[in-house]
Amino acid sequence: MRVGVLTGGGDCPGLNAVIRGVVRKGVKEYDNEFVGFRDGWRGLLENQTIPLGVEQVRGILPRGGTILGSSRTNPFAIEGGVERIRDNLASNGCDALIAIGGEDTLGVATKLAELGVDVVGVPKTIDNDLSGTDFTFGFDTAVNIATEAIDRLHTTAESHHRVLVVEVMGRHAGWIALHSGLAGGANIILIPERPFDIDKVCAQVESRFATHYSPIIVVSEGAVPAEGSMSMVSGEKDDFGHVRLGGIGDRLAQEIEQRTGKEARAVVLGHTQRGGTPTAFDRWLATRFGLHAIQAVNEGDFGTMMALRGTDIKRVPLAEGTGVLKVVTTELYEEAEILFG
């Protein structure tokens, strides 16, 4: 059997571990051959391939990013895109495809599966917002990077008696903000699931200074103020219709400084959270996803996504993983909220 492999969407630590797991088990146990498609769905649309075998995956386990490259291309937004995908899979002799990605990449895979393409999905996103799986790889690394940054910012905030606003990734879900904020001892955590009241934020800032401590605020890039409480500016959109985010940290710092008179600065972690060496947990999870994905392919169990349930890897329908995003619940946020301040 000849299998195509691609990685799509935002890169993250652990992608190479999946590729390595897929190839090593596929070659050793099933005598599979592999074709790597460059830069996500764009490579499959444009028939851009690279050799993918045991030699190509040696030494990539600890490397961040992806040796296949990635993009945010949406083949369903391109005329004749599905036909080109079918044709290029056939021209490369591919019997099946493994798509490694998040909400958008696996959303495309879900539609292709419904159209009869033999595809298996592996869930990847630092946002941890895919339903069907307890965790996605990349998330643990991102949380550790953000937590380390918050730890370092405490001392400089105290030294200069200023507010520090830490902007982390999280378009629709506040998992990174909540986990890193709690682990790093943040005083305020703002997430997309709960529009924030700027007046309450400023009141907490002043309360913190009243106790002679400087506040640390962690905010998801997708967090929004309550309607009418604070002006915001929308950015341009990508191929999947998502507004390009970034800037809430700076905007929040400006607003706090104007309202409280306290010096405030923003630190935007941005793509730092995506880069570098994956944690041991992410290597472990990504490798297991890869091993189970190639097994699903060889068993003909297409239209499925690998999912972590407890400590077990299960197969769930692709639609279950992408149909509804997994967000922070009110109960979970309120459980953590007692520590804020």
Side-chain angles (χ1 to χ4, degrees), residues 317-340:
L318 270 167
E320 184 176 326
T322 60
V324 179
L325 289 179
K326 181 178 65 181
V327 297
V328 177
T329 62
T330 298
E331 292 77 13
L332 183 57
Y333 186 82
E334 290 179 347
E335 177 183 298
E337 201 169 15
I338 190 67
L339 297 174
F340 299 170

Side-chain angles (χ1 to χ4, degrees), residues 247-328:
I248 182 62
D250 283 321
R251 184 71 190 86
L252 191 60
Q254 292 169 11
E255 195 76 16
I256 290 170
E257 191 163 296
Q258 289 171 6
R259 289 172 179 247
T260 67
K262 306 295 185 182
E263 186 181 4
R265 295 289 184 271
V267 178
V268 182
L269 298 184
H271 288 79
T272 303
Q273 297 158 91
R274 292 194 182 281
T277 301
T279 60
F281 179 83
D282 279 340
R283 298 186 202 191
W284 170 85
L285 180 57
T287 298
R288 292 186 71 200
F289 276 159
L291 298 176
H292 282 261
I294 193 60
Q295 182 177 341
V297 166
N298 281 277
E299 291 176 0
D301 196 3
F302 301 114
T304 59
M305 181 191 88
M306 304 306 104
L308 179 67
R309 299 284 180 85
T311 58
D312 297 326
I313 305 297
K314 303 290 185 180
R315 299 175 195 170
V316 301
L318 270 167
E320 184 176 326
T322 60
V324 179
L325 289 179
K326 181 178 65 181
V327 297
V328 177

Side-chain angles (χ1 to χ4, degrees), residues 4-122:
V5 182
L6 64 80
T7 55
D11 70 298
C12 78
L15 284 165
N16 287 323
V18 179
I19 298 167
R20 174 179 175 270
V22 164
V23 171
R24 287 180 67 87
K25 182 171 182 175
V27 170
K28 183 177 179 180
E29 188 163 329
Y30 300 109
D31 199 27
N32 294 146
E33 295 180 352
F34 294 92
V35 177
F37 289 99
R38 295 185 59 86
D39 302 330
W41 296 113
R42 183 168 66 202
L44 189 46
L45 285 166
E46 299 175 358
N47 202 25
Q48 298 294 316
T49 66
I50 63 170
L52 192 59
V54 172
E55 182 66 30
Q56 285 74 34
V57 301
R58 285 200 175 107
I60 68 172
L61 178 63
R63 285 174 54 184
T66 164
I67 61 170
L68 296 178
S70 191
S71 72
R72 296 188 184 278
T73 304
N74 182 1
F76 284 92
I78 298 171
E79 186 175 354
V82 175
E83 289 71 22
R84 286 162 61 182
I85 285 175
R86 290 183 188 275
D87 291 344
N88 288 331
L89 284 172
S91 68
N92 284 282
C94 292
D95 304 292
L97 175 69
I98 295 177
I100 310 166
E103 169 197 1
D104 296 324
T105 301
L106 295 188
V108 170
T110 301
K111 293 179 181 178
L112 290 174
E114 292 169 352
L115 294 172
V117 176
D118 289 338
V119 58
V120 165
V122 174

Side-chain angles (χ1 to χ4, degrees), residues 173-175 177-178 189-195 218-220 222-224 328 333:
W175 294 108
L178 186 65
I189 299 173
L190 306 176
I191 61 176
E193 293 88 337
R194 292 172 66 100
V218 177
V219 57
S220 296
V224 294
V328 177
Y333 186 82

